[in-house]
Amino acid sequence: MTETVPMVVFANFLSDLAVDLDEGQILTTWAQQAPRKAWLLRPGDVFVTPVPLSREFLRYVYDLTGVPPESVAVVQVPPAGAVPLARAVREAGLVERVRDLAGDRGAALLPTALDASAIAFARDIGIAVHPYPTVEAAEVALRITMLLNTKTGFRAAAGKLGMRLPAGRMCRRPKAEGVARDLLRDHERVVVKPDRSAGGHGMRFVSRDDLRGEASLLLDTVGGPEGLWVVEECLDVAESVSIQMEVAASGAHALFSGAMRTAQGSFTGYASPLPPSCAHVAGELEEWGTALGRHLADHGYTGPFGLDALVDTAGVAYASESNIRRTATTTPHAMVTRLTAGSAAPPPAWSVAKGWARSPMDFEGALARLRASHLAFDPDRGEGVVLYADAPPDGRSWRYAVIARSAGDVEEQEAALAEVLEFEGG
């Protein structure tokens, strides 16, 4: 980020942009990632977070980014259940405090998700929503943002924009089993996805054997009894990939691309750049992303977005979904770019993932192990391991980033990290 105006970094993971607010537990779990937004802070910024940040983690972030601790303000919002962050701020009586901290310096709100509650909050405290010039301009973009964060909205737009899609159909929940049976006549397996989900939440993989005889399709309660679902052929996938883009005044631009790490369709990590096995799809991904960016711009959207795709074993790419928001990789990429800005070397390879330690430890304990093994990120070398999301509540499920000169070096450091932090399976 190169913004010069102060930012109110608004970690509104509890948002109805990607999933319904009824999915309270998954939203609360996602909100535990809020500390990573600290890597965006610059002098004069305000950070509104739904979860606490340890003093050790903040000191670690400030040391690596060179931000004087006294130059930023962190506002921790008390737990309020599965409600939008803006509502939690109001219920805690913190609106005036945030307004005072934002002041009259031309600050802008930087939300994780551009949703109606964030726009209303920006209006309440009298600031714009980054990167829009006014709150009203951000409000114009809300409709297309909500639509293209759905599976059905994406399929409709992608088809018109000429993207290659897996064979599939959209339907209401009561029709999903019938549609799955129809598609299973031509395909060995199908994937059944709720319209509004992220990270694989609510997704089901179904084979012909699963629906033999009187067997029925059991779906999560996502979306309610009449919710929309997408049923698609299950491709023989070699890699799950994505390209992250940005819509700016000068048009849609590619920022980075890479391969997603998944387990049963759920996002577990990411590695950039694209591996050699699927580097050949980079041009097509950028072509699709640029077309989607133009479509978003035509409907008033400005800012980051991601386009996900599946590469089958024949090397053919199929578009799978769009994420019109700051994704799980947007902030880590900004962190990597910032921490390596002084390096004259080519852009580094990097990854983000999660490992489970056999026994719990606190932030200082984990960091001490990294430093003792010389794995901790070294600003002079521009590479190493970053504990980018604070200590996890359980002390075991550690999120980390690895920055190195090549993908091979990233893999080596990840293997060493698994030994040093005693990850299960490491």
Side-chain angles (χ1 to χ4, degrees), residues 167 180-192 204-212 231-236:
R181 289 183 182 276
D182 286 347
L183 285 176
L184 284 169
R185 293 192 182 101
D186 298 318
H187 307 284
E188 290 292 330
R189 299 176 73 214
V190 296
V191 56
V192 188
R204 283 288 313 280
F205 292 91
V206 182
S207 69
R208 290 173 179 173
D209 288 341
D210 293 329
L211 293 183
R212 289 201 186 281
V231 185
E232 293 178 342
E233 65 171 312
C234 187
L235 300 169
D236 192 2

Side-chain angles (χ1 to χ4, degrees), residues 121-186:
F121 185 69
R123 185 174 279 119
D124 284 350
I125 61 175
I127 61 176
V129 179
H130 181 79
Y132 300 91
T134 64
V135 172
E136 291 71 25
E139 206 160 28
V140 168
L142 186 58
R143 184 176 180 276
I144 193 68
T145 301
M146 296 295 290
L147 179 63
L148 287 183
N149 273 303
T150 67
K151 304 296 187 288
T152 57
F154 172 73
R155 276 191 69 92
K160 292 177 182 177
L161 295 172
M163 299 183 204
R164 186 183 303 107
L165 294 166
R169 286 163 52 188
M170 300 172 279
C171 62
R172 294 286 175 183
R173 181 190 181 92
K175 302 287 186 181
E177 181 175 322
V179 172
R181 289 183 182 276
D182 286 347
L183 285 176
L184 284 169
R185 293 192 182 101
D186 298 318

Side-chain angles (χ1 to χ4, degrees), residues 33 36 256 259-262 267-272 327-333 335-336 349-355 386 388-389 398-403 410 414 417:
Q33 301 178 61
R36 74 182 188 217
F256 61 95
M260 292 178 282
R261 299 169 179 181
T262 61
F267 178 90
T268 61
Y270 191 83
S272 180
T327 70
T329 58
T330 309
T331 294
H333 174 259
M335 177 192 73
V336 170
W350 57 278
S351 70
V352 289
K354 183 193 283 189
V386 180
Y388 76 94
W398 289 87
R399 296 181 186 275
Y400 63 86
V402 176
I403 307 169
V410 168
E414 284 198 86
L417 171 66

Side-chain angles (χ1 to χ4, degrees), residues 26 84 119 136 224 286 288 294 309 323 399:
I26 189 68
I119 290 172
E136 291 71 25
E286 187 164 352
W288 291 348
R294 285 196 297 264
N323 297 294
R399 296 181 186 275

